[in-house]
Amino acid sequence: MQKILGYADRLSVAPGETVRFMVSTERPGPYTARLVRVINGDANPAGPGVKLEHRPSAVDGTYRGRPQAIAAGSCMRVPHHPRQTPTRGLTVAAMLWPTLPVIDGEPRRQAVIGQWSEAERKGWLLEVDEAGRLRFKVGDGTAVHSVTAPAALTVRRWVLAAGIHDPATGRLTVVQRPLDPYLAALGADTADGAGAAAPAAVDLLIAARPEGTGTADHYDGKIDSPVLLDTALAADALDGLFGRPPAPQVAGHIVARWDFSIDIPGLVGHDTGPHQMHGTLHNLPARAMKGWNWTGACHDWTRQPEHYGAIHFHADDLYDAGWAADFEWTVPADWPSGAYACHLAVGDAEDGSEEDIVPLFVYTARTPLPAGRTRPKVAFLAPTAAYMAYANDHNHLLDGAAEMVVNRLLVMQASDLYIQQHPEYGLSLYDSHRDGSGVCYSSRLRPVLNMRPRYAGWLGAYGSGLWQYNADTHLLDWLEHEGVAFDVVTDEDLHRDGVAALAPYRVVLSGTHPEYHSTRMWDAMMAWQARGGRLMYLGANGWYWRIAFHRDLPG
């Protein structure tokens, strides 16, 4: 299908700044790249036509392509520490809220927490097996021993999950105790076996396990209050692990006790135990989730974070595709503002499968003008937050009512079919995760196939499929046709620089669908208008939803 795809590490770049381009090709071989100015992206032959003006730059050239994979799935990684496989005994426990313990027709395992080396058959791991049952296993480098709970986990019900290993006797115990007393009364929740564990020289992972340089067996569901002890705790003493503070009989045995209610906006899972084994969250799992102890008394996690100490991990979470950069471009000091793109090609197939056009905006509002140049009085505010909200939207592929919504037949493009076949490219805010939970984060650090010149959006009008990016290029084409000089400011620029991003201009044109705004963006626009700025609102469904950009992560 798509023979070449790419993305940039920035959507907006100023003169003097450098943007990096990541490219993947279907197979190793040459491809070409060139920079173009985007005047119109509408491929409808009855319209003005696609207008991409080549702008010679240092980007232009032939490069060597290769396939680059995307590793989706969120988890927490804790750097290796010798105490993570205690020798006197081991108890690992957490509160779980599984959302997808079993997928029909797709046998899979889900790692909950462990320091486990699959290749060496060493370490320990608490996981969900192919039948949706909790399993605890240990390995000594030669043999793997495991014990499995007798019943499958119940979807969306809290359960106390634990694995216990007593090296003196070799006894293994797995505990799967539902928090709901009615479910707990249905049957046994423990099972016993025997085996020995040897330390594995790998990181401890939560919601996944190590696989080479990456991860595998990602878990779907919430995890709250994971804890690791250096003793084989009796199964009937596990409840004491989750108190605040923990019960005195277990406090002296804590190796690590992660509290996900600390600094919820951040990327660190804080260990309140004696060794400070803090973990780093990868691929943006959802934080501030209702925990096992949530009572409903407070619906604001900032006021009672201890009730929102769960993290919802998903096997299809994605923040950054993580591709290696192929080339970069430093914007010359005299380069004018505007809408640009990097045109990538391995051929000229008419269905667009042998090219990709990666959008880019040059932002000059805070850059001194070269001698002799006058700054335009007009700026176009590119609604990039809305582009990101709908990035790689799957609704036309998965929603049976999509054609009724738009009242026309939907014609799929090569890129639509590619996204359907490759869910690892991530979701939009209008999609649901595979476990049915809503998507709350969207990133541009991946190929976004529905934000491209020539793309016909399923929500757009018949013929052109004009929607968002390509609809906005009609405004740019109109300004060109009328001879109106203009600069471009993106939503991210406005969020970062505030009113200073708009201050040089007398008039600002909105995009056609400026739906999403942060508080900083809203305040900056109001302040600029209060100073005499004139807004031309040329869209619909605008200034509607409130969003936020991540505190620590770009994109």
Side-chain angles (χ1 to χ4, degrees):
M1 300 295 284
Q2 292 298 121
K3 305 295 194 303
I4 185 167
L5 287 169
Y7 66 98
D9 69 345
R10 313 177 66 143
L11 194 53
S12 176
V13 60
E17 295 178 341
T18 299
V19 56
R20 300 162 65 242
F21 293 92
M22 281 58 70
V23 181
S24 176
T25 56
E26 184 182 48
R27 57 179 62 91
Y31 69 90
T32 61
R34 63 184 186 132
L35 207 65
V36 297
R37 189 166 69 99
V38 179
I39 301 171
N40 198 307
D42 182 4
N44 186 352
V50 174
K51 300 178 183 178
L52 304 177
E53 179 185 88
H54 179 216
R55 292 295 301 265
S57 72
V59 166
D60 295 5
T62 300
Y63 301 87
R64 186 74 181 175
R66 76 286 196 206
Q68 300 206 65
I70 292 179
S74 56
C75 65
M76 188 178 90
R77 184 181 292 272
V78 182
H80 175 258
H81 191 288
R83 291 183 177 271
Q84 289 171 354
T85 302
T87 56
R88 295 182 297 169
L90 183 152
T91 299
V92 58
M95 301 301 294
L96 303 185
W97 196 77
T99 55
L100 207 60
V102 179
I103 301 179
D104 290 340
E106 185 182 331
R108 66 167 188 154
R109 297 178 296 164
Q110 299 178 64
V112 175
I113 179 171
Q115 190 189 37
W116 176 258
S117 172
E118 189 86 359
E120 297 179 306
R121 299 163 64 87
K122 284 184 179 181
W124 56 269
L125 178 65
L126 187 64
E127 65 178 355
V128 180
D129 75 0
E130 294 83 350
R133 302 169 300 181
L134 200 64
R135 178 165 62 195
F136 181 57
K137 65 185 182 184
V138 298
D140 60 8
T142 302
V144 176
H145 306 274
S146 66
V147 58
T148 305
L153 291 160
T154 302
V155 176
R156 288 179 165 77
R157 292 293 185 269
W158 283 107
V159 60
L160 188 160
I164 303 166
H165 179 227
D166 185 348
T169 64
R171 185 184 184 192
L172 297 176
T173 302
V174 65
V175 178
Q176 181 176 299
R177 186 181 304 161
L179 196 63
D180 185 332
Y182 298 101
L183 293 174
L186 294 179
D189 63 357
T190 63
D192 294 303
V202 296
D203 295 341
L204 184 150
L205 263 63
I206 294 177
R209 66 166 179 83
E211 177 83 338
T213 59
T215 53
D217 294 345
H218 288 266
Y219 165 81
D220 281 292
K222 293 194 283 191
I223 299 178
D224 194 353
S225 306
V227 61
L228 178 63
L229 305 182
D230 63 0
T231 186
L233 199 66
D236 59 5
L238 289 169
D239 290 328
L241 290 174
F242 302 105
R244 291 174 181 268
Q249 65 268 30
V250 301
H253 293 286
I254 291 175
V255 175
R257 190 170 188 258
W258 291 279
D259 186 345
F260 296 154
S261 70
I262 297 174
D263 189 27
I264 285 175
L267 298 169
V268 174
H270 289 268
D271 173 21
T272 60
H275 307 297
Q276 300 288 283
M277 297 182 194
H278 306 308
T280 302
L281 294 166
H282 295 272
N283 270 338
L284 283 176
R287 302 199 66 174
M289 297 289 104
K290 294 183 293 186
W292 68 274
N293 58 341
W294 183 79
T295 64
C298 180
H299 288 255
D300 181 350
W301 64 265
T302 65
R303 294 171 181 259
Q304 202 165 20
E306 64 274 14
H307 281 196
Y308 293 84
I311 296 179
H312 196 146
F313 297 90
H314 303 91
D316 54 1
D317 278 330
L318 180 67
Y319 161 58
D320 189 337
W323 291 353
D326 284 41
F327 55 90
E328 60 184 34
W329 178 53
T330 300
V331 183
D334 60 349
W335 200 274
S337 178
Y340 296 89
C342 186
H343 183 275
L344 307 168
V346 292
D348 56 2
E350 292 185 0
D351 65 357
S353 63
E354 294 181 338
E355 72 170 0
D356 194 17
I357 307 172
V358 181
L360 181 71
F361 298 95
V362 173
Y363 167 64
T364 60
R366 53 187 168 88
T367 305
L369 291 177
R373 180 180 294 175
T374 302
R375 192 179 300 278
K377 298 179 181 180
V378 175
F380 172 70
L381 180 59
T384 52
Y387 299 166
M388 288 171 63
Y390 288 87
N392 291 343
D393 169 26
H394 284 67
N395 276 277
H396 58 310
L397 303 170
L398 303 177
D399 186 349
E403 291 188 340
M404 289 192 289
V405 169
V406 296
N407 193 32
R408 63 180 173 85
L409 179 71
L410 295 182
V411 179
M412 300 301 169
Q413 300 152 85
S415 56
D416 293 321
L417 302 178
Y418 189 87
I419 282 293
Q420 186 178 34
Q421 295 167 357
H422 293 275
E424 69 272 17
Y425 280 77
L427 302 166
S428 77
L429 298 185
Y430 285 80
D431 292 313
S432 296
H433 289 287
R434 190 163 62 163
D435 68 1
S437 59
V439 177
C440 56
Y441 303 128
S442 179
S443 166
R444 55 170 169 73
L445 294 176
R446 51 179 170 144
V448 179
L449 276 68
N450 61 350
M451 189 180 73
R452 296 288 192 261
R454 296 199 176 102
Y455 182 80
W458 74 275
L459 280 167
Y462 176 77
S464 296
L466 282 179
W467 176 246
Q468 298 215 117
Y469 179 82
N470 283 327
D472 290 341
T473 66
H474 272 261
L475 297 178
L476 306 183
D477 197 1
W478 170 63
L479 291 171
E480 288 275 337
H481 182 271
E482 296 300 318
V484 178
F486 65 95
D487 285 351
V488 174
V489 177
T490 73
D491 284 348
E492 285 189 70
D493 299 323
L494 184 58
H495 176 84
R496 182 191 61 243
D497 294 345
V499 71
L502 306 179
Y505 309 104
R506 291 189 62 195
V507 177
V508 168
L509 280 66
S510 80
T512 57
H513 185 213
E515 183 177 5
Y516 287 88
H517 294 265
S518 69
T519 301
R520 284 178 54 82
M521 290 164 57
W522 181 284
D523 289 347
M525 177 58 73
M526 296 298 289
W528 175 76
Q529 290 182 90
R531 298 179 185 183
R534 299 175 181 181
L535 173 65
M536 291 179 66
Y537 176 35
L538 301 178
N541 193 26
W543 277 270
Y544 188 50
W545 289 116
R546 188 180 75 171
I547 52 94
F549 290 92
H550 199 277
R551 188 191 70 185
D552 302 325
L553 292 177

